[in-house]
Amino acid sequence: RALREAGHGAAAREVLIEKERRQRGARRAEVADELTRARAARKAATPVAGVRPDTDRVIGAWLRLMALTLWDGLMGILIGYGRRPEKSALWAMGFLLMGWFIFAVAEGHGAIKPNLPQIQRAAEWVGCAEGGERRTSEVTQYACYLTQPEAASYPRFNALVYSADTLIPVVSFEMQSYWLPDDASRRGALVRIYLWLHIVAGWGLTLLAVAGFSGLVKQDSS
C-alpha cells in the first residue's frame, strides 16, 4: 500500500505477487504436512482385511496436493496469480504463432480437408483421392481439389486466420467451418490432436484472463 500510494505501482504489484506466491506455498505446505501425517498413521496402523486404515486420507491429501501444485503453477506462469492477467495475451500470441506454423505446414503437405460433409462426398473432392479420375499428377488431394473449377467459390484455407479462429472462442472468422486437418494421414492425425489442444488452450487462456482481470483468482483484494 505504501508503494502504491507513493506512485510505485509496478513495485507494489511485485510485492503482491510475492505475497501471493508465499501464501499459496504455505497452503501447499499444510496439505503436504497432512499427507505426511496420514502416511505415518497408515504405516503404524494394523491392516484390516489386507487394507491399511487411513489409505483414503493419504489418497485424498495426495490428490489435493497435486491439484494445488498444478493450479498454483499455472496461475503463476499464465497470469501472475491474477496480478498480471495481461500475461495471458502473450501466451495467446505464442499459441497463435505456433498454430499458424503447424497449420501452414499441414497445408503444405496436403493434410487439410474440407469440413463440410457435402464437399467430402462431392465428385471434385472424391475424384482427387489417390487413384481418382481427377488426380492426374503427383499432387495431394488437397492441391488437386483446389485446381477444380467447382472449388473456385469455396473459401481458401489461411493458416493464420485458421489459428486465430480456433484459438479465440469469442470471435468467429468462419474458417474452422470450412476446413479441418485430414486425419487420413499420420501428419493430419497429429495436427488434428494439436487442433483440440489449440482450442482448449484458447478457452483456458480466455477464462483465466477474465478471472485475472475480475480478481477472482486473487487471495484477497489488497
Side-chain angles (χ1 to χ4, degrees):
R1 184 165 57 248
L3 287 170
R4 189 164 51 237
E5 291 175 354
H8 302 292
R13 184 167 61 174
E14 291 298 327
V15 171
L16 290 173
I17 290 175
E18 179 62 19
K19 177 177 72 72
E20 193 89 24
R21 186 185 68 79
R22 295 191 182 194
Q23 286 178 333
R24 291 171 182 267
R27 182 177 59 180
R28 293 195 304 273
E30 291 178 358
V31 179
D33 289 341
E34 179 183 345
L35 176 60
T36 301
R37 291 193 298 270
R39 283 173 171 169
R42 182 182 64 175
K43 184 177 181 180
T46 302
V48 178
V51 179
R52 290 186 180 274
D54 297 305
T55 298
D56 55 340
R57 285 182 55 203
V58 172
I59 295 174
W62 184 84
L63 290 175
R64 288 200 305 275
L65 181 59
M66 293 301 101
L68 286 174
T69 301
L70 177 61
W71 177 252
D72 292 344
L74 289 175
M75 292 302 97
I77 293 172
L78 298 178
I79 55 174
Y81 304 114
R83 308 291 178 177
R84 285 182 172 173
E86 68 278 1
K87 289 179 66 175
S88 61
L90 297 177
W91 281 97
M93 181 61 67
F95 274 101
L96 176 66
L97 296 176
M98 182 166 61
W100 182 11
F101 172 77
I102 291 175
F103 298 135
V105 170
E107 181 191 16
H109 287 82
I112 298 293
K113 68 178 181 180
N115 197 21
L116 299 179
Q118 60 269 31
I119 300 297
Q120 295 177 14
R121 295 191 297 266
E124 58 267 27
W125 176 258
V126 176
C128 282
E130 187 174 356
E133 67 276 7
R134 299 195 177 202
R135 192 165 169 179
T136 58
S137 60
E138 293 298 324
V139 297
T140 63
Q141 185 178 15
Y142 168 79
C144 171
Y145 169 73
L146 295 182
T147 64
Q148 305 305 311
E150 297 89 344
S153 61
Y154 198 77
R156 287 296 189 263
F157 181 81
N158 184 295
L160 178 58
V161 176
Y162 191 80
S163 180
D165 194 23
T166 53
L167 180 68
I168 308 173
V170 296
V171 177
S172 175
F173 297 104
E174 300 184 355
M175 183 65 65
Q176 186 180 5
S177 302
Y178 291 103
W179 296 103
L180 187 70
D182 189 356
D183 56 0
S185 66
R186 182 173 179 273
R187 188 186 302 274
L190 292 175
V191 175
R192 180 80 70 91
I193 293 174
Y194 171 77
L195 172 62
W196 296 120
L197 296 175
H198 195 75
I199 294 172
V200 170
W203 275 101
L205 289 171
T206 299
L207 293 175
L208 286 176
V210 171
F213 281 111
S214 63
L216 294 176
V217 297
K218 298 177 184 177
Q219 295 283 9
D220 52 55
S221 58
S222 300

